[in-house]
């Protein structure tokens, strides 16, 4: 018989006893009431309460005690004393045993429901997985279960369909809704060469792609694995409750006996009253609220974060976040997009077409920036001949009978005064400047910069509001670094840091208190590990997932502030839960023991049972409410 | 007179509780078979875990089979926090849990509410 059925049985059988109790208040006595109580309570004891006794006995044999021990001893005492009292024509309190059973079971029914609700995040993630995929086999599209897709398969996705597995687009363009995996609310434009993530939803276009990761290697599977591990991990604060629960139950039993002895032997209360106090102590003391306080909050907090594309690895991270003093950002790929872009073109309309024609042949990062700028301006690169690199100067080629060259400004022989001034101004603004030459005349300048993301400024302001110190770490020179830092509002800059020295720099900063490091994970792994909290951006790369304590699936700095806020909220909720669970026991036991009886404050066993059910329920409810807790919202700058 | 006797009995029960729950008692321990292809250990879940201590050998794959015969909801999940395992234990249905034995060390497992504990040693 499951908990729910046991509860309903005890509930319906307790109702008549409740009615007679109320009638008694109006001095209406029902003949044979004792017999009615005896019969109803016996059924409840045998059917609904027996599992408590079985479990209590099994634990007892192994020198353990648990909440069932308390419930079993409480109900058994009330029941067997009432049998004895009935035989001796004394007042009985069968109903206490019945009501306590009903209330404890009610608490368990709710608790079970809440627990499955708290743990639903993983199930929801798993449900995202597509069931079927259309793959090309022998040149024909064929629908197969998603489990049969192998790496290298060519997969077709029609508009509106779910992307079945991770892969790289071969043909087609579309907008893909990735919100379920990355938390990104806007559909993302995808074209040939871009990666797609399994379980995301294809928008308006048809896509053909090559499967690159399937099964447990897929991004979704890795996220599920991470969330699972996080939800079962323990926050160090929980060790406290571990120790408490070991000694708690025996201590309560001793306390109950002391209560009984004091009332019966010292104060001289009747046997029945002394027993009622002892039973109340036993019943109210169930420590399950303590046990539930941490895991349920951890589950809800990490589950909610996962939905936002923030993967918190374990409880330890949660506990460290509120102590953070400094947040260190890696510059490239974190504050900036990691993709240089053309910011200024000096020298008229001819500059860009000439530059684009030449750079279309090159795959240098700066060349890519120029090509991208030309594409954006709708310029198709003209065909050049005799493309070659000029040592120490740049690249050169023939275009329409002219020799064109693009090079670093340093190699310029004689630059016209106007261009030279512009060059100095641009370089002062932390931009890389190239000069475009046609034959021996300078056509113009192109300035290129790895720009901060539009979304970088607001989270940094949010971190300052939270009282955190922000530091930017970069291998760039001081001028470039300072310019970028000023644009996004980062207060301190540590420039000229070699990748190998990042971890050592973090260690130095740790002298002033715990440090979080935000990096994109590829060469940042040592720093991510060294920092008290490593926040890896651009999740999906294995190194990032491995090294970071928090992994942000989206490449968006706003999630850093969000992740820290959420971690703080979750940890605060754990603390709040533990506080209430402790307070509840600390206050409840003396009241139940009758310490305040003189001032008219006392708990009957059934009220104690109700209070106990409530305490578990309130802790679990408070955890589930984490799903509704307000989080900071940040606009793109 | 009756009160004096009640007092004595009460104190005796307290003494018994102290001895029974806090005294030193032998703990059931099981050790995996190092020569087997897979170390298999059956754990019965009834008022706690039997055995309560498990020793596994490093590098040999291991499977622990948990069977819950105790109706209490207290024991309806088993959690290995270090291995990311949080398994439901339906009543009387054996559940296999694979343990990664690559890293030696002392680990614990517990019920869903963290009230019952077991110890796992990999060496």
């Amino acid at each position: 018989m499951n908990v729910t059925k046991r509860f309903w049985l005890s509930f319906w059988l307790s109702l008549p006893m409740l009615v007679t109790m109320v009638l008694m208040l109006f001095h209406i006595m029902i003949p044979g009431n004792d017999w009615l109580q005896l019969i109803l309570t016996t059924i409840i004891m045998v059917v609904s309460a027996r599992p408590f006794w079985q479990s209590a006995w099994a634990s007892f044999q192994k020198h353990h005690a648990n909440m069932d021990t308390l419930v079993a001893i409480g109900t058994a005492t009330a029941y067997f004393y009432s049998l004895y009292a009935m035989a001796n024509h004394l007042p009985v309190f069968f109903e206490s045993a019945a009501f306590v059973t009903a209330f404890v079971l009610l608490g368990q029914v709710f608790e079970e429901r809440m627990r499955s609700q708290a743990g639903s995040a993983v199930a929801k993630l798993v449900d995202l997985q597509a069931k079927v995929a259309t793959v090309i086999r022998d040149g024909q599209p064929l629908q197969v279960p998603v489990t049969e897709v192998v790496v290298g398969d060519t997969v077709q996705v029609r508009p509106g369909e779910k992307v079945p597995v991770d892969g790289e687009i071969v043909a087609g363009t579309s907008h893909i809704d990735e919100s379920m995996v990355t938390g990104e609310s806007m559909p993302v434009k995808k074209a040939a060469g871009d990666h797609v993530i399994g379980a995301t939803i294809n928008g308006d276009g048809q896509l053909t792609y090559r499967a690159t990761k399937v099964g447990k290697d897929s991004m979704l599977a890795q996220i599920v694995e991470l969330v699972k591990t996080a939800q079962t991990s323990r926050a160090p604060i929980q060790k406290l409750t571990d120790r408490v629960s070991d000694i708690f139950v025996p201590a309560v039993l001793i306390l109950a006996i002391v209560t009984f002895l004091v009332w019966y032997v010292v104060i001289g209360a009747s046997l029945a009253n002394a027993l009622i106090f002892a039973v109340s102590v036993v019943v109210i003391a169930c420590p399950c609220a303590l046990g539930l306080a941490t895991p349920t909050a951890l589950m809800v907090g990490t589950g909610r974060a996962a939905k936002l594309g923030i993967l918190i690895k374990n409880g330890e991270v949660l506990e460290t976040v509120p102590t953070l003093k400094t947040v260190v950002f890696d510059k490239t790929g974190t504050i900036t997009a990691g993709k240089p872009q053309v910011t200024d073109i000096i020298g008229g309309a001819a500059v860009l077409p000439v530059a684009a024609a030449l750079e279309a042949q090159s795959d240098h990062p700066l060349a890519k920036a120029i090509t991208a700028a030309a594409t954006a301006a709708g310029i198709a690169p003209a065909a050049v001949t005799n493309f070659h690199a000029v040592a120490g100067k740049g690249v050169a080629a023939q275009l329409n009978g002219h020799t064109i060259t693009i090079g670093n400004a340093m190699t310029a022989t004689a630059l016209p005064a106007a261009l030279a001034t512009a060059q100095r101004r641009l370089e002062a603004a932390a931009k890389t400047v190239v000069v475009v030459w046609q034959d021996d005349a300078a056509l113009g300048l192109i300035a290129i910069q790895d720009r901060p993301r539009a979304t970088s400024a607001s989270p940094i302001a949010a971190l300052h509001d939270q009282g955190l110190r922000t530091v930017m770490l970069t291998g760039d020179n001081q001028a470039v670094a300072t310019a970028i830092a000023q644009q996004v509002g980062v207060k301190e800059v540590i420039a000229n840091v070699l990748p190998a020295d990042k971890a050592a720099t973090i260690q130095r900063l740790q002298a002033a208190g715990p440090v979080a490091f935000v990096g994109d994970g590829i060469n940042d792994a040592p720093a991510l590990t060294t920092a008290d909290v490593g926040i890896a951006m651009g999740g999906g790369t294995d190194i990032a997932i491995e090294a970071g304590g928090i992994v942000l699936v989206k490449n968006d700095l706003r999630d850093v502030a969000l992740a820290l806020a959420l971690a703080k909220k979750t940890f605060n909720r754990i603390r709040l839960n533990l506080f209430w669970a402790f307070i509840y026991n600390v206050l409840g036991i003396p009241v139940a023991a009758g310490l305040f009886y003189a001032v008219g404050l006392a708990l009957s066993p059934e009220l104690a049972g109700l209070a106990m059910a409530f305490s578990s329920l309130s802790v679990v409810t408070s955890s589930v409410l984490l799903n509704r807790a307000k989080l900071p919202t940040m606009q793109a700058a | 007179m009756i009160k004096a006797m009640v007092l004595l009995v009460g104190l005796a029960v307290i003494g018994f509780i102290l001895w029974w729950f806090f005294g030193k008692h032998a703990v059931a321990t099981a050790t995996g078979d190092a020569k087997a292809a897979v170390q298999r250990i059956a754990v019965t879940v009834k008022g706690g875990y039997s055995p309560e201590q498990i020793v596994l050998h490093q590098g040999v794959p291991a499977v622990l089979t948990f069977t819950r015969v105790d109706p209490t909801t207290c024991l309806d999940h088993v959690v290995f926090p270090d291995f990311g395992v949080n398994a439901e234990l339906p009543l009387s249905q054996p559940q296999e849990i694979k343990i990664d034995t690559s890293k030696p060390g002392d680990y614990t497992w517990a019920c869903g509410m963290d009230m019952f504990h077991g110890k796992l040693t990999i060496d």
Side-chain angles (χ1 to χ4, degrees):
Chain A
M1 200 179 242
N2 67 24
V3 174
T4 317
K5 281 190 195 144
R6 279 162 57 201
F7 162 69
W8 284 114
L9 181 93
S10 61
F11 174 77
W12 289 116
L13 294 184
S14 297
L15 265 191
M17 289 188 265
L18 188 70
V19 172
T20 56
M21 226 168 94
V22 173
L23 287 178
M24 252 177 2
L25 291 179
F26 298 100
H27 303 286
I28 303 170
M29 292 295 189
I30 291 173
N33 184 28
D34 286 4
W35 283 100
L36 178 73
Q37 283 202 11
L38 170 67
I39 294 166
L40 294 176
T41 308
T42 306
I43 300 174
I44 293 175
M45 289 296 111
V46 171
V47 182
S48 296
R50 197 184 49 196
F52 292 131
W53 298 5
Q54 287 172 336
S55 158
W57 177 241
S59 298
F60 177 80
Q61 287 172 310
K62 297 178 72 65
H63 303 277
H64 288 308
N66 62 352
M67 69 159 279
D68 288 347
T69 313
L70 296 177
V71 177
I73 290 184
T75 54
T77 313
Y79 180 73
F80 287 110
Y81 166 76
S82 295
L83 280 183
Y84 158 83
M86 207 173 153
N88 292 284
H89 303 287
L90 292 167
V92 298
F93 55 98
F94 283 115
E95 80 279 2
S96 294
F99 292 173
V100 166
T101 309
F103 286 136
V104 172
L105 286 171
L106 174 67
Q108 290 193 354
V109 168
F110 272 109
E111 208 178 282
E112 209 168 64
R113 255 180 227 174
M114 288 296 208
R115 270 205 289 169
S116 63
Q117 200 179 326
S120 64
V122 167
K124 278 187 195 144
L125 279 172
V126 173
D127 275 352
L128 287 177
Q129 180 67 56
K131 306 283 176 288
V132 291
T134 308
V135 297
I136 309 289
R137 294 268 161 89
D138 305 322
Q140 293 296 316
L142 182 70
Q143 203 162 65
V144 298
V146 74
T147 46
E148 290 179 16
V149 180
V150 294
V151 171
D153 265 345
T154 303
V155 184
Q156 272 185 354
V157 189
R158 281 188 288 273
E161 278 185 346
K162 241 181 206 182
V163 175
V165 297
D166 295 1
E168 197 181 314
I169 299 175
V170 180
T173 54
S174 184
H175 285 82
I176 295 188
D177 175 5
E178 296 189 331
S179 58
M180 60 295 293
V181 178
T182 65
E184 171 65 59
S185 53
M186 296 293 292
V188 186
K189 194 176 176 216
K190 301 270 178 169
D194 286 338
H195 287 275
V196 292
I197 307 167
T200 56
I201 292 172
N202 185 20
D204 41 17
Q206 166 131 4
L207 292 175
T208 305
Y209 74 94
R210 198 174 52 80
T212 54
K213 278 179 179 171
V214 299
K216 67 174 173 36
D217 297 329
S218 70
M219 186 143 161
L220 184 69
Q222 285 188 20
I223 291 175
V224 167
E225 201 46 46
L226 261 180
V227 174
K228 260 194 199 163
T229 315
Q231 291 193 331
T232 57
S233 78
R234 298 247 185 92
I237 194 171
Q238 216 176 340
K239 288 208 180 96
L240 185 69
T241 62
D242 279 10
R243 245 172 289 138
V244 168
S245 70
D246 277 346
I247 55 164
F248 191 81
V249 173
V252 166
L253 291 179
I254 291 171
L255 212 62
I257 295 168
V258 171
T259 303
F260 172 78
L261 292 178
V262 169
W263 278 102
Y264 184 68
V265 179
V266 181
I267 300 175
S270 72
L271 180 63
N273 282 337
L275 269 179
I276 285 178
F277 284 123
V279 169
S280 298
V281 169
V282 168
V283 169
I284 202 167
C286 166
C288 34
L290 274 182
L292 287 168
T294 314
T296 52
L298 200 66
M299 231 180 218
V300 175
T302 53
R304 178 169 180 193
K307 268 185 238 153
L308 296 167
I310 297 164
L311 309 177
I312 298 171
K313 282 255 195 84
N314 54 45
E316 232 158 296
V317 171
L318 283 180
E319 206 164 326
T320 318
V321 166
T323 67
L324 287 177
K325 291 277 177 286
T326 312
V327 181
V328 182
F329 295 90
D330 177 53
K331 194 205 82 176
T332 310
T334 305
I335 287 181
T336 66
K339 280 184 196 146
Q341 283 179 317
V342 171
T343 56
D344 305 79
I345 299 170
I346 312 284
V351 179
L352 191 56
V354 170
L358 186 55
E359 296 287 33
Q361 307 298 316
S362 168
D363 55 1
H364 190 270
L366 295 182
K368 277 192 187 154
I370 291 172
T371 315
T375 311
I379 298 165
V384 294
T385 53
N386 193 22
F387 175 84
H388 61 282
V390 181
K393 219 175 173 194
V395 288
Q398 294 292 320
L399 176 67
N400 301 333
H402 296 286
T403 302
I404 51 171
T405 318
I406 292 185
N408 191 312
M410 310 281 240
T411 64
T413 42
L415 217 50
L419 287 181
T421 318
Q423 182 196 350
R424 274 194 298 278
R425 177 174 59 79
L426 291 170
E427 279 179 344
K431 292 170 183 174
T432 307
V433 182
V434 292
V435 185
V436 184
W437 302 87
Q438 184 163 334
D439 298 325
D440 279 334
L443 262 187
L445 308 176
I446 297 179
I448 295 161
Q449 191 183 31
D450 184 10
R451 275 226 196 92
R453 295 168 203 272
T455 54
S456 289
S458 61
I460 287 165
L463 293 177
H464 287 152
D465 288 346
Q466 292 178 28
L468 291 162
R469 170 184 170 205
T470 54
V471 177
M472 188 176 89
L473 205 63
T474 176
D476 283 352
N477 65 55
Q478 192 74 39
V480 172
T482 309
I484 299 277
Q486 273 168 357
Q487 283 179 43
V488 296
V490 171
K491 292 274 168 65
E492 289 169 60
V493 172
I494 302 177
N496 299 318
V497 181
L498 297 174
D501 295 339
K502 279 183 184 171
T505 312
I506 298 288
Q507 260 168 3
R508 257 206 329 278
L509 289 168
Q510 276 170 333
V515 172
F517 178 73
V518 187
D520 57 356
I522 293 154
N523 58 14
D524 295 332
L528 283 169
T529 321
T530 307
D532 299 276
V533 175
I535 303 177
M537 306 260 296
T541 68
D542 298 347
I543 310 159
I545 288 186
E546 196 60 39
I550 297 177
V551 179
L552 307 180
V553 177
K554 265 191 315 241
N555 251 329
D556 188 335
L557 216 54
R558 279 175 295 180
D559 283 349
V560 173
L562 202 59
L564 295 185
L566 195 59
K568 245 184 229 177
K569 277 240 156 74
T570 307
F571 186 65
N572 283 344
R573 191 58 56 102
I574 291 176
R575 268 210 296 229
L576 183 78
N577 283 351
L578 285 176
F579 171 77
W580 281 115
F582 266 115
I583 279 292
Y584 163 85
N585 274 314
V586 166
L587 292 183
I589 291 176
V591 174
L595 218 60
F596 306 109
Y597 186 73
V599 293
L601 189 58
L603 278 178
S604 61
E606 51 266 40
L607 274 183
L610 188 64
M612 191 206 81
F614 254 152
S615 80
S616 303
L617 198 60
S618 62
V619 161
V620 178
T621 310
S622 135
S623 293
V624 170
L625 284 180
L626 252 183
N627 265 328
R628 308 254 164 92
K630 264 203 139 140
L631 289 173
T633 47
M634 270 162 285
Q635 272 80 45
Chain B
M1 187 58 205
I2 283 188
K3 284 187 177 176
M5 272 172 64
V6 167
L7 183 64
L8 272 180
V9 170
L11 292 177
V13 172
I14 291 176
F16 172 75
I17 290 174
L18 288 174
W19 169 77
W20 186 260
F21 291 109
F22 299 124
K24 282 226 181 306
H25 302 282
V27 178
T29 305
T31 304
D33 182 355
K35 292 192 188 82
V38 177
Q39 312 181 63
R40 285 185 180 278
I41 287 174
V43 181
T44 306
V45 183
K46 190 181 179 216
Y49 301 98
S50 332
E52 218 169 72
Q53 276 187 13
I54 292 177
V55 181
L56 295 173
H57 300 280
Q58 192 193 346
V60 184
V63 174
L64 309 182
T65 309
F66 282 77
T67 312
R68 175 166 76 100
V69 292
D70 189 326
T72 179
T73 53
C74 260
L75 288 158
D76 63 4
H77 281 71
V78 63
V79 180
F80 284 81
D82 305 297
F83 299 96
V85 171
N86 184 358
E88 208 185 323
L89 302 177
L91 196 59
S92 305
Q93 291 173 33
Q95 294 293 311
E96 292 199 341
I97 289 165
K98 287 195 183 77
I99 298 292
D100 172 15
T101 54
S102 56
K103 284 181 199 146
D106 283 332
Y107 305 96
T108 58
W109 77 83
C111 70
M113 292 184 194
D114 209 15
M115 293 286 151
F116 294 95
H117 304 103
K119 214 175 118 190
L120 172 67
T121 307
I122 298 174
D123 62 10

